[in-house]
């Protein structure tokens, strides 16, 4: 079945450091790919998405490119802030009724 | 207005009890979900309903029974609670449109079974 594997955390960075969180997927067809973010004490919220190969999703300085050849959707940000501290989830969906999430990666940004 | 709201936010109860968590969405979405998040933040789908019909039912003990009285509500009832049921339960909804794929989550209901 479809699945998502993302790098284990936790990840701790200093403010303004470069962030990469790796995500790879397994799917039978052509899924849409997503990054969700969960801030402390809150539900998940969509950060960005890409619906087809070579699409780049971006939001709030975060980016991820849908790479079909490497089945990857790595999350990047050039300069993280303390307010980016959260848990980040990679996810995929081949139809909108079944969203599969990775295990989550906790990011802590220190001033 | 809260888009997806679930109650209660916190629930502490004894083993063997029966409890319910309610969820309502005011987004006009067709599809609603229940997810369980364990202490390591792993998020696992439990159920999915589309227009009040069950469409996803993962391997979940039959002590868990979802009920959807209308497409804006999806409640979760749990019988004979066990220690391993302690988790945060998230309700979510989506348009049911394959082009968007965005899920809108509630704030979660933290269940602690003693």
């Amino acid at each position: 079945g479809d699945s998502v594997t993302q790098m284990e955390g936790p990840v701790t960075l200093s403010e303004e450091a470069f962030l990469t969180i790796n995500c790879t997927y397994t799917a039978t067809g052509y899924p849409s790919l997503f990054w969700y973010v969960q801030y402390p004490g809150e539900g998940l919220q969509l950060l960005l998405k890409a619906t087809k190969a070579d699409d780049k999703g971006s939001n709030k300085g975060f980016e991820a490119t849908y790479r079909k050849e490497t089945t990857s959707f790595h999350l990047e940000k050039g300069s993280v802030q303390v307010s980016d501290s959260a848990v980040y989830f990679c996810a995929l969906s081949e139809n909108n009724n079944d969203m599969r999430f990775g295990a989550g990666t906790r990011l802590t940004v220190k001033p | 207005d809260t888009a997806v709201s679930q109650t209660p936010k916190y629930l502490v109860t004894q083993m063997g009890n029966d409890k319910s968590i309610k969820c309502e969405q005011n987004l006009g979405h067709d599809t609603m979900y229940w997810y369980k998040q364990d202490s390591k933040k792993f998020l696992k789908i439990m159920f999915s309903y589309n227009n009040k019909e069950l469409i996803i039912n993962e391997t979940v003990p039959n002590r868990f029974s979802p009920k959807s009285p209308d497409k804006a509500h999806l409640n979760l009832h749990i019988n004979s609670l066990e220690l391993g049921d302690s988790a945060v339960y998230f309700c979510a909804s989506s348009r049911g449109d394959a082009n968007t794929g965005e899920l809108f989550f509630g704030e979660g209901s933290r269940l602690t079974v003693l």
Side-chain angles (χ1 to χ4, degrees):
Chain A
D2 294 358
S3 65
V4 172
T5 303
Q6 59 183 103
M7 66 185 281
E8 290 188 22
V11 174
T12 302
L13 296 173
S14 298
E15 211 164 17
E16 299 183 5
F18 184 86
L19 168 72
T20 299
I21 301 178
N22 289 340
C23 172
T24 56
Y25 68 90
T26 303
T28 51
Y30 303 97
S32 294
L33 301 174
F34 308 84
W35 277 99
Y36 280 79
V37 57
Q38 184 180 25
Y39 297 105
E42 298 182 11
L44 281 72
Q45 53 187 273
L46 182 66
L47 180 61
L48 54 85
K49 68 178 183 182
T51 56
K52 61 183 187 298
D54 299 327
D55 270 2
K56 177 186 281 189
S58 60
N59 185 25
K60 299 182 181 180
F62 291 89
E63 292 183 341
T65 301
Y66 189 140
R67 302 278 187 209
K68 186 162 172 278
E69 63 277 14
T70 54
T71 61
S72 64
F73 193 55
H74 305 322
L75 181 68
E76 296 182 338
K77 187 174 185 182
S79 175
V80 293
Q81 305 300 312
V82 172
S83 57
D84 293 327
S85 297
V87 182
Y88 292 82
F89 293 88
C90 188
L92 69 78
S93 176
E94 287 205 65
N95 66 67
N96 202 45
N97 295 326
D98 190 1
M99 181 81 70
R100 299 283 169 161
F101 289 86
T105 302
R106 182 183 297 277
L107 169 66
T108 301
V109 180
K110 300 194 169 180
Chain B
D1 278 348
T2 304
V4 180
S5 58
Q6 45 183 117
T7 56
K9 195 168 181 180
Y10 299 97
L11 187 53
V12 181
T13 188
Q14 300 287 332
M15 268 193 338
N17 283 351
D18 304 337
K19 291 294 178 186
S20 292
I21 307 171
K22 296 185 177 181
C23 179
E24 175 182 4
Q25 54 96 2
N26 63 4
L27 298 167
H29 287 166
D30 292 327
T31 308
M32 295 185 72
Y33 311 77
W34 278 108
Y35 281 85
K36 178 180 179 181
Q37 186 176 49
D38 63 23
S39 58
K40 296 182 179 179
K41 299 293 187 183
F42 186 70
L43 201 66
K44 184 174 170 57
I45 191 167
M46 301 174 70
F47 302 103
S48 171
Y49 269 73
N50 181 269
N51 280 318
K52 301 195 301 175
E53 289 192 21
L54 180 66
I55 51 173
I56 292 176
N57 182 355
E58 292 292 299
T59 306
V60 175
N62 57 15
R63 299 182 294 105
F64 291 78
S65 52
K67 288 203 170 37
S68 183
D70 55 61
K71 76 172 193 177
H73 295 84
L74 180 62
N75 303 324
L76 183 65
H77 187 76
I78 315 170
N79 289 328
S80 304
L81 279 157
E82 300 177 357
L83 293 176
D85 298 332
S86 295
V88 181
Y89 291 85
F90 285 99
C91 177
S93 72
S94 67
R95 273 171 46 196
D97 183 341
N99 290 331
T100 66
E102 180 175 1
L103 267 60
F104 292 80
F105 283 81
E107 292 185 344
S109 296
R110 181 177 293 277
L111 171 65
T112 303
V113 182
L114 303 175

